Amino acid sequence: MKRIVIYAVTFNSYPELAAFLKSVDRAADFAAEEAEVEVCVADNTVEQPEKIVVENRHAVVRVFPYRENLGYMGAVQRMMGEQDPRSYDYVIISNVDLIFEEDALLQLVRLQVRQDTGGIAPSLFSTCLGFDRNPSVLHRYPVWKLRMLAVMFRFPILDYLYRLTFYRRKGMRPAVKKPLEIYAGHGSVMILTRAYFEHCGLPEYPLFLFCEEVYLAEMCREHQLKVVYWPSVRILDEEHVSIAKMHRADFYRYNYEAVRFILRRFYAF
């Protein structure tokens, strides 16, 4: 029997959380003979927080009502301090604007994962864009590209022009139908193996938001672990509910700070 824990973070997104938990419970029921599933939910909502009512029957759910905005990995890391992830076979870090396919967790525990695999990127189909967000990043970013991203986030008009042109072309790439070793998956949902924690320890990401998937990919790279895209593990992306509520100035500032951190920490820039 495999053990799975999901660390999910909500911020003013209670309807999405309810749908997320319902889909996880359905997937846990589908995998009940092969997996035990636990869910830890951090509530970062500051103003007018609501009581989270848990109706799950097949997945054990624990709610952490922090009532302060700790950011994505900030909330996850605090939960990990209270609910240690190192005894689980798979650790899923997730936004709540996602829907797990019925067989997602069953497919996950049935994967033939090599011992040198630290991260798993599932199929993450965007219902808005109409294509799979994974595999998100096939190869490690060169320094010039990260520096370019930093400039784009420092001067938002450049990012706006990019999204009107080249960003849309991402959906034109052929779908990947077989497992594939990649650099990093999309940050909306990140799956770590037991090997990640054995080699890398608990995450220590100090930023409020963004580039979490790059940080985890770089930690895997430092410890000679692989990140693999597995299209059989299917999740639907309902599109950045919490981020959509963020002030644009904060969006660009957090992105800029995150890219600068990655450059300093892993590229010595």
Side-chain angles (χ1 to χ4, degrees), residues 99-110:
I99 299 295
F100 280 61
E101 292 282 7
E102 185 179 53
D103 67 342
L105 298 179
L106 181 62
Q107 291 292 338
L108 176 62
V109 298
R110 288 182 174 179

Side-chain angles (χ1 to χ4, degrees), residues 16 19 96-99 124-128 133 235-241:
E16 292 77 19
V96 298
D97 51 352
L98 307 176
I99 299 295
L124 185 63
F125 187 82
S126 169
T127 56
C128 177
R133 289 182 174 274
I235 298 172
L236 299 179
D237 185 2
E238 300 291 333
E239 300 296 321
H240 307 304
V241 170

Side-chain angles (χ1 to χ4, degrees), residues 35-153:
E36 296 176 353
V37 181
E38 298 177 41
V39 186
C40 297
V41 178
D43 188 359
N44 280 357
T45 306
V46 178
E47 298 182 2
Q48 298 181 327
E50 300 178 12
K51 180 179 175 59
I52 296 174
V53 178
V54 176
E55 298 180 349
N56 289 43
R57 294 181 300 149
H58 306 285
V60 177
V61 180
R62 292 186 64 195
V63 177
F64 298 83
Y66 291 135
R67 304 297 192 251
E68 58 178 308
N69 197 351
L70 302 170
Y72 187 25
M73 283 300 289
V76 169
Q77 288 165 174
R78 182 177 287 191
M79 285 191 291
M80 286 183 174
E82 300 184 54
Q83 182 84 7
D84 197 317
R86 288 171 287 192
S87 64
Y88 296 88
D89 297 286
Y90 294 103
V91 175
I92 302 174
I93 299 171
S94 180
N95 290 332
V96 298
D97 51 352
L98 307 176
I99 299 295
F100 280 61
E101 292 282 7
E102 185 179 53
D103 67 342
L105 298 179
L106 181 62
Q107 291 292 338
L108 176 62
V109 298
R110 288 182 174 179
L111 296 180
Q112 299 298 313
V113 177
R114 290 175 43 169
Q115 293 184 345
D116 61 351
T117 299
I120 294 171
S123 170
L124 185 63
F125 187 82
S126 169
T127 56
C128 177
L129 298 176
F131 61 82
D132 194 342
R133 289 182 174 274
N134 280 325
S136 182
V137 187
L138 294 177
H139 306 289
R140 189 179 192 235
Y141 290 113
V143 170
W144 67 263
K145 187 164 186 178
L146 287 177
R147 296 180 75 177
M148 181 187 72
L149 286 172
V151 171
M152 288 170 59
F153 292 130

